[in-house]
Structure formats: C-alpha cells, structure tokens
C-alpha cells in the first residue's frame, strides 16, 4: 500500500510539473503573439505613410508632365495656323522662282561693288547698268511673288536681264548671280497657276473614293434588282 501511495504521489508531481511547463509555454506564446500584434500596427502605419508619400510623388510627377505636354501642345497649336496660312499663301504664287530671282539680283549688285581699297574688280561694261540691272531683277522677283497674275511677263523680262548680266555686270556676278536669276525666271514663267489649299485638296481626294464607292453600290443594287 505504501508503494502504491508513493507511486501515486510521484505521478501527481509529474503531472503538476507538466501542467506548469505547459502553462509557462502558453504564457510565453501569448506574450510573443501580443508583441507581434503590437509591432504590426507600427509597421503597417509606416508602410502606409511610405505608400502615400510615393503615390504623392508619382502624382506630382504626372501633373508636371501633363502640364509640360499641355504647354507644348498649346504652343504647337498656336504655331500650326501660322504655318498653314503661310503654306497656303505660298501655294498661290511662284514663290521659289521669285525668291531665286531676288537672290540673283542681290548677288549681282554686290558683285559690282567689289572694292578692296586700292583694288577694284570690274568686268564688262561700267556705268549705271551695273546698279540698274540687279535692282530691276529684285523688283521683278518681288512683283512675281506679290502679283502673280502677270508672272509670265515678269519672268521673261527677268530672264532677258539675267542673260544680259553676263556682259553687263561682272560676268553675271561671276556666273553665280546669272544662274540664280535665270533659274528663278524660268520657274516664274513655268508656274502653272494657283493651287487649292492643302486641306481642300485632301477633302476632294477623300470625297472621290467615297463617290466611287457609292456608284459601285448603286450599280450592284441595280444588278441585284434585275
């Protein structure tokens, strides 16, 4: 009986020790969980603040980029009508030929004024025509640009003066001025008249295929009805 009582006491002690260890383990686990739960809100707050800061920076960068793009688009829209108007104005007159004739007259004028102090370069006939011919070419080029209705008349006179400058103004401004004014005069004479604005031409080109499609559909419908 004594041995059984001793054995029961030992088993009771072991069970009590096991319960104490289990209670200690549970308390430690609960402390750890509570510490983790306390640490989580701080980390989530920090991450939320960091995310908000990064989102604000990204939005600010997007706003700046959108403002820059809007400013560029506004500047491009302001410049576009001016370019469009100048392009349409240029298409209504022999612009390139007139510009070349003006450049040739300017070159002829300055080629006749070569004076390096003690040395003056002069070829051909001296006199007033060395000044009159270049000025006449410049005036004819400007008239061809601003009054294109008589472009053939202006171009023929400019071509005659350009060829005559070969013997009248320093070998035609050392041939360069004669070439520029001659090519410009030929372009002025060969100008085919005013052209429609680019937008109108595109609209007519777009309307032509549409009209062809309508005719095709109408013919197909008539054939189907027959």
């Amino acid at each position: 009986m004594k041995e059984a009582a001793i054995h029961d006491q030992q088993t009771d002690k072991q069970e009590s020790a096991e319960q104490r260890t289990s209670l200690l383990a549970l308390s430690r686990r609960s402390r750890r969980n509570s510490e983790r739960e306390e640490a989580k809100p701080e980390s989530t707050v920090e991450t939320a603040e960091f995310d908000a800061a990064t989102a604000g920076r990204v939005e600010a960068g997007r706003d700046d980029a959108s403002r820059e793009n809007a400013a560029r688009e506004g500047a491009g829209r302001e410049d576009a009508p001016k370019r469009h108007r100048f392009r349409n104005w240029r298409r209504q007159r022999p612009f390139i030929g007139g510009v070349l004739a003006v450049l040739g007259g300017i070159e002829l004028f300055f080629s006749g004024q070569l004076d390096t102090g003690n040395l003056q370069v002069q070829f051909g006939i001296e006199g007033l025509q060395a000044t009159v011919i270049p000025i006449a070419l410049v005036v004819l080029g400007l008239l061809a640009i601003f009054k294109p209705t008589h472009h053939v008349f202006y171009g023929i006179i400019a071509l005659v003066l350009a060829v005559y400058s070969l013997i009248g103004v320093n070998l035609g401004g050392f041939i360069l001025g004669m070439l520029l004014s001659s090519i410009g005069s030929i372009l002025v004479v060969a100008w085919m008249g005013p052209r429609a604005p680019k937008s109108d031409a595109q609209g007519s080109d777009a309307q032509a295929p549409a009209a062809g499609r309508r005719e095709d559909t109408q013919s197909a419908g008539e054939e189907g009805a027959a």
Side-chain angles (χ1 to χ4, degrees):
M1 296 291 290
K2 290 181 180 180
E3 291 179 356
I6 293 167
H7 183 69
D8 293 333
Q9 290 178 358
Q10 290 179 353
T11 52
D12 293 335
K13 289 179 180 180
Q14 289 178 357
E15 288 178 356
S16 62
E18 289 177 356
Q19 289 177 357
R20 289 176 183 176
T21 53
S22 62
L23 290 172
L24 290 172
L26 290 171
S27 62
R28 289 177 182 175
R29 289 178 183 176
S30 62
R31 286 177 184 176
R32 290 177 183 175
N33 292 327
S34 62
E35 289 176 357
R36 288 177 182 176
E37 290 177 355
E38 290 177 357
K40 279 181 181 179
E42 294 178 357
S43 62
T44 53
V45 169
E46 291 178 356
T47 54
E49 292 177 354
F50 180 74
D51 293 336
T54 53
R57 291 176 184 175
V58 171
E59 289 179 356
R62 289 179 180 175
D63 293 335
D64 295 335
S66 62
R67 288 175 184 174
E68 291 178 357
N69 292 327
R72 290 177 183 175
E73 289 178 356
R77 289 175 182 175
E78 291 178 357
D79 294 336
K82 295 180 181 179
R83 294 177 182 175
H84 187 66
R85 291 175 185 173
F86 176 73
R87 188 179 298 171
N88 292 331
W89 179 82
R90 187 184 64 187
R91 291 167 67 89
Q92 304 300 318
R93 59 202 72 246
F95 183 76
I96 297 174
V99 169
L100 289 176
V102 170
L103 291 176
I106 293 171
E107 201 277 336
L108 285 170
F109 179 78
F110 284 106
S111 67
Q113 306 295 325
L114 292 177
D115 190 0
T116 60
N118 296 325
L119 180 63
Q120 184 175 5
V121 180
Q122 183 71 37
F123 294 97
I125 302 171
E126 297 181 3
L128 187 63
Q129 64 182 1
T131 304
V132 172
I133 291 174
I135 293 174
L137 285 171
V138 172
V139 172
L140 289 169
L142 292 175
L143 287 173
I145 291 173
F146 291 101
K147 291 187 177 180
T149 53
H150 304 289
H151 65 96
V152 177
F153 176 71
Y154 301 141
I156 290 171
I157 295 176
L159 182 61
V160 172
L161 291 176
V163 174
Y164 180 73
S165 67
L166 184 63
I167 60 174
V169 186
N170 277 351
L171 293 176
F174 305 108
I175 304 176
L176 180 61
M178 185 195 70
L179 288 175
L180 286 173
S181 54
S182 299
I183 293 170
S185 302
I186 292 168
L187 291 175
V188 169
V189 173
W191 184 58
M192 299 300 293
R195 292 181 290 176
K198 194 172 182 181
S199 60
D200 296 341
Q202 289 179 354
S204 62
D205 293 338
Q207 289 175 1
R213 291 176 183 174
R214 290 176 184 174
E215 291 178 356
D216 293 337
T217 53
Q218 288 178 359
S219 61
E222 290 176 357
E223 290 177 357

